[in-house]
Every structure is written in structure tokens, then in C-alpha cells.
Amino acid sequence: MNPTWLEPQMQQLRAAFAAGRMPHALLIHEAPGTGGEWLAQWTAQLVLCSAAARAPCGQCSACQHASQWQHPDLLRLTPIENSTQIRIEQVRELAADLALTAHQGGYKVGIICPADDMNRFAANALLKTLEEPPRSTLLVLVASVPSRLPATILSRCQRLRVAAPPREAAVAWLEAVRGPGDWAGVLGVLGDAPWLAAAADPAALLATAAEMRADLEQLSAGAGDPTQCAERWAREQLPLRLACFENWLTERIRTRLLGPDATAEVRRSAHSRAAGPAIRETFELLDAVRELRSSFDVPLNRSVALETLLRRLAPRRAA
Ligand SMILES: [Zn+2]
């Protein structure tokens, strides 16, 4: 089953391709875990499919090979094992390959995911290809934090946004691809990130989440031991736990600090202006958790870093 929330983007791409207006470079700006890479692969099938009128048909050998990342004219760049960065050698190899004639005589497609994992040198190396793209080339960059990419790259890509889907749409999709389960509960823990949810074991995840919520409530009431808690969290499933932590903070801001009926505008002003200290501090903590989530390539003692964050949950003592 196709993810229904990507239908508008698919329509837009189909129309552009049919009209011969396919850009050379596309930036899929996705909310985390919403299917950006799936959309990139679908786009590759669209331009590589041999059944032009029905592209992507999903049946022809081009579609089938592309769906398994085995099409000779489809190249994918992701961080190499044990690294969280895409390196300059990888980009150079991709550029050299894109400059060759397509095996099947049509498009050559390069997908870079997550593109915001390119280090500075890699991004600079890509710039040359973006400035002078070989004919019939399509580069698709998938990123959830495009601001990490140089402006020179961003300005050369046509941007396609993918927002987090409505909860019901995500649940329906998860039921179709993974079978029945408490998917609403899983999304409540992870945020509306169906791709993350699809990779999870619902029962185990909900158990971990319940345990974490108890920890967080306790710490934010000034009880519990942040050192012990940080050590336990850092020992297993830390990325998942940080995702839960982030979502717990977001929920807390939404329901407790702002009230469930707060409008989008109130939320924005709460983030930017002189909001009450509790709100401001929670937003700052949220940023710090996100920072820790995105710095897995930096060698640091995670349990210590986490402990510092957990200590910030405790209510301030009156002076
Ligand atoms: Zn096809």
C-alpha cells in the first residue's frame, strides 16, 4: 500500500514528468520518518519505468529492479557502515558515474539520503554536478534538516515538502504494511513518524516507553536518580529513548504548559518571545535533546551528556 499522505507529492512529480518539466535536482524535505526515501525511490521508478504512460507501473523490469535498488542507472548514497557521514569520495564516485551514459539509454538517478549527513567537503563536491548536471540526470536529496546543507546546494534544488501525516492516515498505513497492533500508541511515543514506527516492535516499544515516562515524571517532580537513569538509558536503545524523550517534551509543552487548545500562533510565540520560564526552559531542553540525537557521530560520553539533560528536568528550588 502506498502511503496516502505522499499522494499530493506523487501527483506533482507525475505531472512535472509528463510535461517534461522534471527538475535536475530535487530536495525532499521530510518531517523525520515520514517516507522521504520511499518517495525518492518512487521518483526513480517514475523516470526509469519503461511503461511511459503508466509510469511507474511497478511491473516492468526497470520498476522491479529500482524497487530493489538494483537498477544499473539508479545510484544511492548513504553513510557507509559505522559512519554517520556521507564522505567526499562517495560523492565523487557518484558524480563520475552520473557523467556516464545510462545503461538503458534513459535517465540516470542519484539518491542521497540522508543528504544532511554529507559533510562539508562532500557537499562542496556535489555542487559541481548540481551546477552542470549531465543530460537526463536526476539527483534526489532527502533531508529532514536541510539547513545543515550549504545555501549554494539548496538554491539549486527544487524543494518538495513532506509534513507529518495525520495520525489516522499513518495508523491505516501501518495496519496495512505491518498488520494489527497498537499503532496509535506507538505513534504517540515516537511522534507521527510512520517509518520509524514500522521498524518497531509495538509491544516492546510501549513497555520501554511506559518505563521511560515513569522515569521522566519522577525526575520532573524532583525525585528519582538522574545518574542511574542516564546509565540505564544509555545502555540500551538510546536512539529510541531519545526519540521518546523528545516527544515527551513536545507533548508536555503542548498539553501542560500551553494547554491543549493553544493555537499554532500561541505555540510559535511561546517559542520565540519572552514566554514563562517553564516554557522557555522546556523548549531549550527540547533543543538540547535534538542536538544530542543528531550528534551520534561525535565521540562523547552519552551517559554523562544524558545525565546533564535529565538534571534539567528537576524543578528549581526556591532561592
Ligand atoms: Zn515500470
Side-chain angles (χ1 to χ4, degrees), residues 45 48-51 54-64:
Q45 286 178 294
L48 294 169
C49 176
S50 48
R54 289 180 295 118
C57 70
Q59 313 287 319
C60 71
S61 76
C63 281
Q64 303 248 318

Side-chain angles (χ1 to χ4, degrees), residues 47-182:
V47 302
L48 294 169
C49 176
S50 48
R54 289 180 295 118
C57 70
Q59 313 287 319
C60 71
S61 76
C63 281
Q64 303 248 318
H65 284 122
S67 75
Q68 291 157 26
W69 298 110
Q70 279 171 1
H71 194 291
D73 295 319
L74 171 59
L75 307 146
R76 172 164 69 156
L77 278 201
T78 53
I80 305 176
E81 269 180 89
N82 300 328
S83 168
T84 53
Q85 288 193 354
I86 293 176
R87 298 174 189 284
I88 185 167
E89 308 82 62
Q90 293 177 270
V91 171
R92 283 195 180 134
E93 232 171 86
L94 173 77
D97 203 318
L98 288 176
L100 302 173
T101 315
H103 293 263
Q104 316 277 345
Y107 259 91
K108 287 198 84 115
V109 185
I111 293 176
I112 306 183
C113 181
D116 36 7
D117 279 354
M118 277 190 289
N119 65 28
R120 191 158 45 91
F121 307 107
N124 281 337
L126 182 69
L127 200 53
K128 209 163 151 356
T129 306
L130 285 173
E131 282 167 343
E132 295 159 29
R135 278 193 57 218
S136 298
T137 304
L138 173 63
L139 265 172
V140 188
L141 281 62
V142 182
S144 52
V145 192
S147 57
R148 287 206 203 126
L149 291 166
T152 41
I153 296 251
L154 298 178
S155 67
R156 284 177 173 83
C157 298
Q158 187 172 316
R159 197 179 290 216
L160 203 58
R161 282 182 193 276
V162 178
R167 184 72 48 100
E168 316 79 70
V171 168
W173 179 77
L174 284 161
E175 277 173 353
V177 299
R178 286 280 320 268
D182 183 5

